[in-house]
């Protein structure tokens, strides 16, 4: 997100949050994000309306808008009508009716939009205030900027609501910096991109953004997704629509990807995902003889190795997958997991493992890692990257990867790929053109064509399959990269102070937790 957009989104979110009052963040996000989407769809309609009018077309003919790939918005759902009625006591009912009318006119939005505005706990004055906030949003002159600005606002709001909800928020939102790293390493510039546990669609948005930054065409990417939580699926559909990304193949069913794989015949060029960590409730007992388990039957009490094989099953012959898993997946030997991992390694499918720093994820403190699996591997080595010392804290509980971290890790991977494959057959890195946008300058995905790979103690190591076998087929990067050589000028006092502050913060959190437990026990005793 560019600096100016971020400032605008921050200001808007703070103003909107003041109007929340006693409404829970989990509920409030649908109220606010629904309005952002309504503003987007109305602005987009208005732009197309003026174009059709200038060409002498019928501005109230729904079919006219199909030619421009635009949604049709009925009169009483247009933002001008919403603004005119913002101060009415029945504005909640008006908004619910508007959402219903848009769904009726646009089949791809059926069952997607929130109809939550007439609830008793939502004050009509506060609702009018939210409408005023969005109505006063400066689009800096260009109607065409509307979707871009509102897309950034929608994305920023998703992240802020996820932070507000904590653990619950993590169920629909993967931290943006983690998504950026996955995309920077995978480089999904062309082909079929699949996420079978897609949450609110962040992986798709970032993939499309990557292509745009590199001057490519978003039409070169087609996306496929599945989500088992209907509320989260709705967020994904809105998130993609506001970015004008075709979401027709992003499907919902309550059974999930294991029991009801809606894309069972799909062979994707890229799989990118963040499945639930250590999921013990994936109906594994019903899948003992599933055809996806080519490398061994996963345990019924943990879905990690079921997800890995599900991803591999959906890869095309030259496909590559990048996904997040709990760090325990690198060493676990529970109920056949070690045997499956050994089979994957001996089949030469594992390309790279990245050990992530702590506190990146909102919904868990479980240590995490990134796996990269490649179907068309020819080299008999695995790249290990230990990024535990990367990132910066944004609050006592949460850390993000900086753009410099993302660049360092992804460039290391691409330099290694280039060294392993000098002809560059499967590594078609795109270099940003001179006409970079402000955002492309900020994200810095530019690949240095002169970069060369070298093992760095404490950070990265290219290990042969024999070396991995010698260590019992464990994949923990720390066991391969070794300890970082002590840098000259190490500031002991600064490091000691940092560690002391972290310990103090953890002790305060533990104290607060103990106090809540004691309070709950006292209530039970009463």
């Amino acid at each position: 997100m560019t600096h100016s957009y971020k400032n605008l989104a921050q200001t808007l979110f703070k103003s909107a949050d003041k109007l929340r009052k006693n409404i829970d963040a989990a509920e409030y996000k649908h109220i606010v994000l629904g309005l952002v989407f309504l503003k987007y769809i109305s602005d987009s309609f208005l732009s197309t309306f003026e174009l059709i009018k200038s060409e002498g077309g019928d501005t109230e003919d729904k079919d006219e808008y199909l030619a421009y790939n635009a949604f049709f918005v009925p009169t009483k759902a247009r933002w001008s009508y919403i603004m005119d009625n913002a101060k009415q006591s029945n504005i909640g009912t008006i908004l619910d009716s508007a959402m219903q009318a848009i769904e009726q006119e646009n089949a791809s939005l059926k069952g997607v939009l929130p109809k939550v505005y007439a609830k008793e706990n939502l004050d009509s004055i506060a609702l009018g205030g939210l409408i005023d906030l969005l109505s006063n949003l400066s689009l800096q002159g260009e109607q065409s900027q509307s979707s871009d600005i509102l897309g950034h606002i929608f994305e920023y709001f998703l992240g802020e609501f996820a932070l507000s909800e904590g653990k619950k928020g993590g169920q629909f939102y993967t931290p943006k910096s983690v998504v950026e790293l996955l995309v920077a390493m995978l480089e999904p510039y062309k082909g079929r991109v699949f996420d079978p546990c897609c949450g609110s669609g962040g992986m798709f948005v970032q993939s499309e953004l990557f292509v745009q930054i590199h001057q490519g065409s978003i039409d070169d990417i087609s996306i496929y997704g599945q989500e088992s939580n209907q509320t989260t699926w709705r967020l994904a559909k809105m998130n993609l629509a506001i970015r004008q990304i075709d979401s027709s193949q992003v499907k919902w069913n309550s059974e999930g990807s294991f029991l009801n794989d809606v894309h069972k015949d799909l062979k994707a060029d890229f799989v990118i995902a963040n499945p639930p960590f250590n999921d013990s409730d994936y109906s594994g007992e019903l899948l003992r003889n599933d055809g996806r388990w080519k490398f061994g039957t996963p345990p019924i009490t943990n879905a990690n190795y079921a997800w890995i094989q599900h991803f591999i099953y959906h890869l095309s012959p030259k496909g590559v997958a990048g996904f997040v898993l709990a760090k325990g997946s690198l060493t676990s030997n529970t109920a056949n997991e070690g045997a499956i991992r050994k089979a994957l390694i001996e089949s030469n499918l594992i390309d790279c493992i990245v050990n992530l720093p702590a506190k990146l994820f909102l919904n868990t403190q479980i240590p995490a890692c990134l796996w990269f699996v490649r179907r068309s591997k020819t080299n008999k080595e695995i790249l290990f990257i230990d990024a535990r010392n990367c990132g910066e804290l944004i609050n006592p509980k949460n850390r993000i990867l900086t753009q410099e971290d993302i660049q360092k890790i992804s460039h290391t991977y691409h330099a290694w790929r280039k060294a392993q494959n000098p002809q560059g057959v499967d590594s078609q890195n795109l270099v940003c053109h001179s006409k970079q946008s402000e955002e492309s300058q900020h994200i810095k995905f530019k690949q240095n064509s002169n970069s060369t790979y070298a093992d760095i103690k404490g950070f990265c190591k290219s290990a042969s399959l024999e070396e991995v076998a010698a260590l019992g087929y464990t994949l923990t990067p720390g066991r391969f990269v070794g300890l970082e050589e002590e840098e000259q000028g190490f500031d002991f006092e600064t490091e000691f102070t940092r560690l002391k502050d972290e310990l103090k913060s953890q002790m305060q959190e533990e104290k607060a937790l103990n106090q809540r437990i004691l309070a709950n026990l006292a209530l039970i005793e009463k």
Side-chain angles (χ1 to χ4, degrees), residues 395-428:
N395 61 49
K397 293 183 178 181
N398 297 113
R399 183 184 300 271
I400 62 167
L401 294 169
T402 66
Q403 294 301 320
E404 289 71 25
D405 295 325
I406 293 168
Q407 190 176 36
K408 177 183 178 181
I409 297 166
S410 61
H411 282 191
T412 298
Y413 176 61
H414 292 305
W416 177 78
R417 289 292 315 152
K418 185 178 179 182
Q420 298 291 325
N421 181 26
Q423 301 304 315
V425 175
D426 62 352
S427 181
Q428 303 178 41

Side-chain angles (χ1 to χ4, degrees), residues 453-472:
Y453 175 80
D455 291 343
I456 301 173
K457 259 200 166 182
F459 179 66
C460 63
K461 162 74 174 176
S462 181
S464 67
L465 298 190
E466 289 77 13
E467 289 177 273
V468 177
L471 288 178

